[in-house]
Amino acid sequence: MSAVDAKRIPTGKSPHSVAVNPDGTRLFTTDFKSGTVSVIDIGRAVVVETIQAVEGPYGLAANPNGRVLHVAAPGSEMLVRIDIVGGIPTHSGFGHAPYGVAVSPDGDRVYLTLALEDSVLVTDQFAKPRFAEIHGIAFPTGVAVTPDENLLYSANYFADTVSIVDIAGEKVIATVPVGQGPYGVALSPAGDRLYVAHFPFDSVSVIDTTDRTVTKTIPVADGPRGVAVSPDGTRLYVTNFFADTVTVIEL
């Protein structure tokens, strides 16, 4: 499928990252220029709500409970927790600049990429405790955690690689070469495919997580930056940073 064949959904200004709720009915995007989160009705392909979040939001993850969003804001060194019902944000400043964010399958732990520190911090929803800090990851941006929470994947933007991390061992166990500018990452529900957006290089790589190799490259125009996979694994959502849209790709 070429980029021009894919459906696009309008969103907020300069969508950075994207997440989908557990039942697959809503998309959320962090809108970098407006400091907001857009809530998108997937069926109608329209923004139904805009939530004021934080200046310069980057990473975004939806809690498995379907009621909470987590937003990373490196400029203000904050993790923002948003209750979706009511759109109420809670800001937690913790002295580090988080770029990407992922949530554990049980919703109790948050994984934050600290790109400027070459590490990933494991904390709670309010960035209070330090459960773990994994070092030796080169400028990590996007992050994803496997369904069994054994492995973590991070995009290494300047190294043009993806790191595979043993979470319990707190160490990098493999590195997968990809194209230029890997930024956002997302796992398929089964964990057998990893999707990597290349910003601003207009493509998404598909990694077979068993073979740990790139098996396919999907063209996506206008600065793909964030990626998410639908809960049933049939659709890929990619933010178009320069076009204020999300591309929908049938898998």
Side-chain angles (χ1 to χ4, degrees), residues 99-125:
Y99 276 55
V101 56
V103 186
S104 63
D106 62 10
D108 290 341
R109 288 164 300 285
V110 174
Y111 294 80
L112 300 172
T113 57
L114 307 181
L116 303 179
E117 301 175 41
D118 294 338
S119 66
V120 172
L121 174 66
V122 188
T123 181
D124 71 352
Q125 298 181 28

Side-chain angles (χ1 to χ4, degrees), residues 150-153 163-167 169-175 212:
N150 287 332
L151 299 177
L152 175 151
Y153 297 91
S163 289
I164 304 174
V165 176
D166 178 334
I167 294 175
E170 299 182 16
K171 62 181 179 180
V172 176
I173 59 172
T175 304
R212 297 177 177 175

